[in-house]
Amino acid sequence: MDSNQYLDAEQARFVQELLAFVRIPSVSAKPENIPDVVRAADWVAARLTAAGVEGAEVLPTDGHPVVCGHWLHAGADKPTVLIYGHFDVQPAEPFDLWDSPPFEPEIRDGRVWGRGASDDKGGMLVPILAVESLLKTTGRLPVNVKFFFEGQEEIGSPDLPPFVAANVDRLTADMIFSADGLQYAPDQPQIVEALKGLVKAEIVVRGPRSDQHSGLHGGGIANPAMALAHLLASMKSADGLVTVEGFYDDVIDLGLDDRAAIARIPYDEVSYLAETGAVSVFGELGYSTRERLWARPTLDVNGLTSGWQGIGSKTVLPAEARAKITCRLVAAQDPAAVLAALAAHVQAHCPAGVTAELLPGQGGAGPFLVPSGHNATGVAAQVLEEVYGKRPYRTRLGGSIPVMTTLLDVLGVHAVMFGFSHDDENLHAPNEFFRLEAFRLGQTAYVRLLQRLGG
Amino acid sequence: MDSNQYLDAEQARFVQELLAFVRIPSVSAKPENIPDVVRAADWVAARLTAAGVEGAEVLPTDGHPVVCGHWLHAGADKPTVLIYGHFDVQPAEPFDLWDSPPFEPEIRDGRVWGRGASDDKGGMLVPILAVESLLKTTGRLPVNVKFFFEGQEEIGSPDLPPFVAANVDRLTADMIFSADGLQYAPDQPQIVEALKGLVKAEIVVRGPRSDQHSGLHGGGIANPAMALAHLLASMKSADGLVTVEGFYDDVIDLGLDDRAAIARIPYDEVSYLAETGAVSVFGELGYSTRERLWARPTLDVNGLTSGWQGIGSKTVLPAEARAKITCRLVAAQDPAAVLAALAAHVQAHCPAGVTAELLPGQGGAGPFLVPSGHNATGVAAQVLEEVYGKRPYRTRLGGSIPVMTTLLDVLGVHAVMFGFSHDDENLHAPNEFFRLEAFRLGQTAYVRLLQRLGG
């Protein structure tokens, strides 16, 4: 039996294991789910050991734990490969928009439906299964492999930088592959050459000491919710330009070659609108939608909260109003500089009659841009072309994987995104799903990747 | 024993009764409290009967019930007086800001602390106790009295207009006094000559079909929370002028006499800011704070909701964002016209890339302005001067009592606000309280009012 036959023979079991993994509600953002994140870590360590990986263990950080393991018997002449993924998931709210409960996964239409099925439980299981198939059928791996799985990617990996710095020996590798990554379409691979950086913050606008009667005090004092609206509106123009002073200062603008490369990849705006349900595209003038999505920095409001939000009405003038915001950064923006620009803007544009404060969020990341000619990226592209029978598109991604920046900073290695999710799989949204076909194809791809790297 | 001695002798019992009344969480805005509103209605009907009032009964509406009762044996030559109040209360959230639980009332510093103690359970109990003292000590009342208590004032009395229209005989009176009203200060009475009207609505801005990943879609499509900020900011200028087209069209501007009358009443901005905790006053240029509070229309945001509002972060581009808003109206603004202006503004200023809708709220009210020379108002002013030893200020109020407009429309009678709460008593806010001194003084005042009207 070769590894491919093994994968076919064991696939039904693997799918059941994925369902079990998704059933653990390892939501890293919610304090009540801390024990579930630990349970997920334990599950991953046990699964690594079952696959034949050595030294699999759960390691503490100041927050959610990390799981590491390794197989290092390929020989000193073979490269060492670090494989990354994450076992935490996004919150599943609002629950009522799910067709089936987010943590009671179901298989329908050849897909696993549940929170984390695609991002990244399905994804991170793929290389474990590939390694298992090689170890169980050949007794060895073609290269030295280290696994590095984390439980805080969805909150920006705040505790990873000190962990990585303190565990350089454990993580050192010649190449890094991230099992948290996307393919362009089920029949079209891609190589992701850039990730955006991330900055998080919360704006708090405060007015009266406590909520006030809107009749007795309306017109007398400022309304923090209205003031927040003015403050947010001052940060982005009506046509989508970020108007925070200095925001674009360090952005490396797209060259003609970059724009041509992006324009070569098919883009169907009708499909994009159908996928998202938006009435139209929207954003910074002078750039195509693809360019904005892939290579321009953004400022988005992730949440608003103020005053009465229940059924019916409560005629209050609220004491405060809050907005959670994130900026996605492109090379060569610096997260600290952007955060400082946001804070300065909030102070400079604080509306009359209220106070305003910018609270920096945990877990930022610098932008990530793979150098052209990067060797591991070239090998990954060859493998994808073999497996899919098509040349991969060279794309960029609007998302952020903060630990990629950390690994680059500490280990000096650019990671290659080698994952098999798709961006239509409702990542971070209700009704997340993962294609079982991609789950299987990814296993083959990882086997070939390891073989090619060792051969 | 005269009625005054009776009131003194029974005061301790009356205070215990007020505590029992406040313990009923009759929050009209929350569906889960519907049975509590009914319990409060039953309590009121029983209390009326115990006071010697006849025909006390709970009457249905399409929503929360009404309680009526009467004593009509004063004779045809005596006027019939309708006394109004409400037994529903505002929601008590946020609970954690209360020093003692909102529905477990406590007496501290000569005050009853609890939701509804002042607005309006303490207030509406006052005339019942005054009537009881007269009936128990003299066996009769100096005038014919009808009571009309409702359970939906805090949600704008949506079901009262049809109820009033269908119960004209039950409610017809020569004069109306509202036990839901404020005195200027514990040592200074007032006659409220105007109430503001009220319009409620919710603005809903919709973008993608469901919450999206802010990295994968940020910069591609509009963000509904940011769009809502732009839309709200378009409705009010940075210096507090409402910029909804046509909003001020029907406003009767203050005359020189009106402004002089308002200016004669002492106003201490330092105290006002200390009371609210706001850093400064704020609002429409060209008017004093008092003028804005009392006699200028307002537009306030009562609540904002969108996306992720929990602890930490969720990097979503939200599917929708909502703002609850209310406008307080002054003569001669028309609620329907203002609602239409708001709806037209939302359509005209809908930001690119999203849809926006204005959902009208239940329970609006027209503004209320008592004609100068109104007889019942004159009698009330005399009684207040006797009881307080000071001439009442002639003031206006930024709040709204929608049923006052309904009664004016149907019965043709302007109500007189004859209540003994104060605007520093945290009405609609945490730590609401009612002064026991005012509770007692109000009873005397109502006794004298009925005596003077009958004498």
Side-chain angles (χ1 to χ4, degrees):
Chain A
M1 188 184 279
D2 68 11
S3 72
N4 205 44
Q5 291 166 328
Y6 179 88
L7 291 170
D8 281 340
E10 301 296 330
Q11 204 58 216
R13 171 168 66 90
F14 295 163
V15 171
Q16 290 306 312
E17 288 173 343
L18 174 55
L19 296 180
F21 195 14
V22 172
R23 272 185 210 110
I24 305 171
S26 48
V27 179
S28 48
K30 298 175 75 174
E32 62 265 39
N33 292 113
I34 289 174
D36 299 308
V37 180
V38 172
R39 268 210 294 149
D42 291 339
W43 191 95
V44 171
R47 189 63 190 81
L48 284 170
T49 300
V53 174
E54 298 173 0
E57 61 182 321
V58 178
L59 297 163
T61 74
D62 283 346
H64 299 297
V66 158
V67 178
C68 288
H70 50 77
W71 192 93
L72 303 173
H73 309 298
D77 60 326
K78 300 293 183 185
T80 299
V81 170
L82 182 71
I83 297 175
Y84 164 85
H86 65 90
F87 50 84
D88 63 317
V89 301
Q90 280 278 315
E93 286 83 355
F95 287 93
D96 58 338
L97 296 185
W98 287 77
D99 293 332
S100 56
F103 299 111
E104 297 171 29
E106 287 187 7
I107 299 172
R108 299 193 302 273
D109 307 323
R111 301 164 170 195
V112 174
W113 300 81
R115 169 56 83 230
S118 176
D119 183 14
D120 176 41
K121 286 179 171 172
M124 64 160 279
L125 204 46
V126 163
I128 300 176
L129 304 176
V131 161
E132 173 172 306
S133 73
L134 287 165
L135 288 173
K136 301 290 183 190
T137 56
T138 69
R140 61 189 315 281
L141 299 179
V143 293
N144 301 301
V145 171
K146 293 178 175 180
F147 285 104
F148 173 42
F149 296 122
E150 62 151 317
Q152 47 186 263
E153 197 273 340
E154 299 296 1
I155 55 170
S157 307
D159 307 302
L160 267 278
F163 178 88
V164 171
N167 289 273
V168 171
D169 285 349
R170 193 188 293 277
L171 301 173
T172 293
D174 301 300
M175 304 167 190
I176 303 174
F177 293 90
S178 170
D180 186 21
L182 298 174
Q183 292 305 325
Y184 189 84
D187 61 352
Q188 174 62 53
Q190 69 181 351
I191 287 289
V192 177
E193 296 187 324
L195 293 169
K196 287 185 184 174
L198 181 63
V199 158
K200 300 177 183 178
E202 185 164 14
I203 298 171
V204 186
V205 174
R206 295 189 178 89
R209 187 180 303 107
S210 58
D211 289 357
Q212 302 291 321
H213 188 300
S214 71
L216 296 185
H217 296 290
I221 55 177
N223 183 307
M226 181 59 86
L228 176 65
H230 278 280
L231 187 51
L232 289 173
S234 78
M235 300 174 82
K236 205 167 185 178
S237 72
D239 52 10
L241 189 76
V242 177
T243 46
V244 173
E245 295 80 357
F247 182 77
Y248 293 102
D249 279 1
D250 296 329
V251 171
I252 300 171
D253 208 354
L254 288 167
L256 288 177
D257 283 358
D258 298 320
R259 303 184 78 158
I262 291 173
R264 268 195 295 274
I265 299 170
Y267 169 70
D268 176 1
E269 194 145 292
V270 172
S271 299
Y272 180 65
L273 293 176
E275 176 197 337
T276 58
V279 290
S280 67
V281 296
F282 177 80
E284 207 185 347
L285 297 176
Y287 296 91
S288 72
T289 300
R290 261 283 152 71
E291 288 169 349
R292 297 195 311 270
L293 287 168
W294 287 2
R296 295 297 298 173
T298 65
L299 186 157
D300 268 294
V301 180
N302 310 119
L304 292 175
T305 192
S306 180
W308 181 247
Q309 303 179 40
I311 292 169
S313 64
K314 186 179 178 190
T315 51
V316 290
L317 192 163
E320 66 171 35
R322 290 171 175 257
K324 292 185 195 270
I325 62 171
T326 45
C327 293
R328 303 279 175 168
L329 311 183
V330 302
Q333 285 178 297
D334 172 48
V338 170
L339 210 49
L342 291 169
H345 182 97
V346 165
Q347 289 317 307
H349 295 263
C350 177
V354 296
T355 61
E357 188 183 4
L358 186 95
L359 308 175
Q362 283 195 310
F368 180 89
L369 184 62
V370 177
S372 60
H374 181 247
N375 185 48
T377 299
V379 175
Q382 289 173 351
V383 168
L384 290 174
E385 185 167 351
E386 284 173 26
V387 171
Y388 282 84
K390 280 189 188 171
R391 270 192 103 130
Y393 291 150
R394 296 189 165 254
T395 65
R396 301 178 181 217
L397 193 60
S400 314
I401 309 182
V403 74
M404 296 297 108
T405 317
T406 305
L407 293 173
L408 175 61
D409 291 347
V410 176
L411 305 181
V413 179
H414 268 97
V416 179
M417 306 297 116
F418 202 72
F420 297 87
S421 298
H422 299 89
D423 72 2
D424 66 350
E425 289 174 349
N426 296 321
L427 316 178
H428 297 210
N431 295 318
E432 180 177 348
F433 68 89
F434 191 42
R435 290 173 166 88
L436 288 174
E437 184 187 19
F439 184 56
R440 178 65 187 82
L441 191 68
Q443 296 160 29
T444 297
Y446 261 97
V447 167
R448 290 204 186 208
L449 178 72
L450 298 178
Q451 287 171 332
R452 182 173 283 272
L453 291 170
Chain B
M1 188 184 280
D2 69 11
S3 72
N4 205 43
Q5 292 166 326
Y6 180 88
L7 291 171
D8 281 340
E10 301 295 332
Q11 203 59 213
R13 171 169 65 89
F14 294 163
V15 171
Q16 291 306 312
E17 288 173 341
L18 174 55
L19 297 180
F21 195 14
V22 172
R23 273 186 210 108
I24 305 170
S26 48
V27 179
S28 48
K30 298 175 75 174
E32 61 265 41
N33 292 114
I34 289 172
D36 299 308
V37 180
V38 172
R39 268 209 295 148
D42 291 338
W43 191 95
V44 171
R47 189 63 191 81
L48 284 171
T49 300
V53 174
E54 299 173 2
E57 60 182 321
V58 178
L59 298 163
T61 74
D62 283 345
H64 299 297
V66 158
V67 177
C68 288
H70 50 77
W71 191 95
L72 302 172
H73 309 296
D77 60 326
K78 299 293 183 185
T80 298
V81 170
L82 181 71
I83 297 175
Y84 164 85
H86 66 90
F87 50 85
D88 63 316
V89 301
Q90 279 278 314
E93 285 84 354
F95 287 94
D96 58 337
L97 297 185
W98 287 77
D99 293 333
S100 56
F103 299 111
E104 296 170 30
E106 287 186 6
I107 299 172
R108 298 192 304 271
D109 308 324
R111 300 163 171 196
V112 173
W113 300 80
R115 170 56 82 230
S118 176
D119 182 15
D120 175 43
K121 286 178 172 173
M124 65 160 277
L125 203 47
V126 163
I128 300 175
L129 304 176
V131 161
E132 173 172 307
S133 74
L134 288 165
L135 288 174
K136 300 291 183 191
T137 56
T138 69
R140 61 190 315 283
L141 299 178
V143 293
N144 301 302
V145 171
K146 294 178 175 180
F147 285 105
F148 172 43
F149 297 122
E150 62 152 318
Q152 48 186 262
E153 196 275 338
E154 298 295 1
I155 54 170
S157 306
D159 307 302
L160 267 277
F163 178 87
V164 170
N167 288 273
V168 171
D169 286 349
R170 195 188 292 276
L171 301 172
T172 293
D174 302 301
M175 304 168 190
I176 303 173
F177 293 90
S178 169
D180 185 22
L182 299 174
Q183 293 305 326
Y184 189 85
D187 61 354
Q188 175 62 54
Q190 69 181 351
I191 287 288
V192 177
E193 296 187 324
L195 294 169
K196 288 185 183 174
L198 181 63
V199 159
K200 300 177 184 178
E202 184 164 15
I203 298 171
V204 186
V205 174
R206 296 189 178 91
R209 186 180 303 108
S210 58
D211 289 358
Q212 300 292 322
H213 188 300
S214 71
L216 297 185
H217 296 290
I221 55 176
N223 183 306
M226 181 59 87
L228 177 64
H230 277 280
L231 186 52
L232 289 172
S234 77
M235 299 174 83
K236 205 168 185 178
S237 72
D239 52 10
L241 189 75
V242 177
T243 46
V244 173
E245 295 79 355
F247 183 76
Y248 292 104
D249 280 359
D250 297 328
V251 172
I252 300 172
D253 208 356
L254 288 168
L256 289 176
D257 283 359
D258 298 319
R259 302 184 78 158
I262 291 173
R264 269 195 295 273
I265 300 171
Y267 168 71
D268 177 0
E269 193 145 292
V270 172
S271 299
Y272 179 65
L273 292 177
E275 176 198 337
T276 58
V279 291
S280 68
V281 296
F282 176 80
E284 207 185 349
L285 296 176
Y287 296 93
S288 72
T289 301
R290 261 279 151 72
E291 288 170 349
R292 296 195 311 269
L293 287 169
W294 288 1
R296 296 295 298 172
T298 66
L299 185 157
D300 268 293
V301 180
N302 309 120
L304 293 175
T305 192
S306 180
W308 180 248
Q309 303 180 39
I311 292 169
S313 64
K314 187 180 177 190
T315 51
V316 290
L317 192 164
E320 65 171 36
R322 290 171 176 257
K324 291 183 195 272
I325 63 171
T326 45
C327 293
R328 302 280 175 168
L329 311 183
V330 302
Q333 285 178 295
D334 171 49
V338 169
L339 210 48
L342 291 170
H345 182 98
V346 165
Q347 288 317 308
H349 295 262
C350 177
V354 297
T355 61
E357 188 182 6
L358 186 94
L359 307 174
Q362 283 195 309
F368 181 89
L369 184 62
V370 177
S372 60
H374 181 247
N375 185 48
T377 300
V379 175
Q382 289 173 354
V383 169
L384 289 173
E385 185 167 352
E386 284 172 26
V387 171
Y388 283 83
K390 279 188 188 172
R391 268 193 105 128
Y393 291 150
R394 294 186 168 255
T395 66
R396 301 177 181 217
L397 193 61
S400 313
I401 309 182
V403 74
M404 297 297 107
T405 317
T406 305
L407 293 172
L408 174 62
D409 290 347
V410 176
L411 305 179
V413 179
H414 269 97
V416 180
M417 307 295 115
F418 202 73
F420 297 88
S421 297
H422 300 88
D423 71 2
D424 67 350
E425 289 173 348
N426 296 323
L427 317 179
H428 296 209
N431 295 318
E432 180 177 349
F433 68 89
F434 191 42
R435 290 173 166 87
L436 287 174
E437 186 185 18
F439 185 56
R440 178 65 187 82
L441 192 69
Q443 295 160 29
T444 298
Y446 261 97
V447 167
R448 290 204 185 209
L449 178 72
L450 297 178
Q451 288 171 334
R452 181 173 284 272
L453 291 170

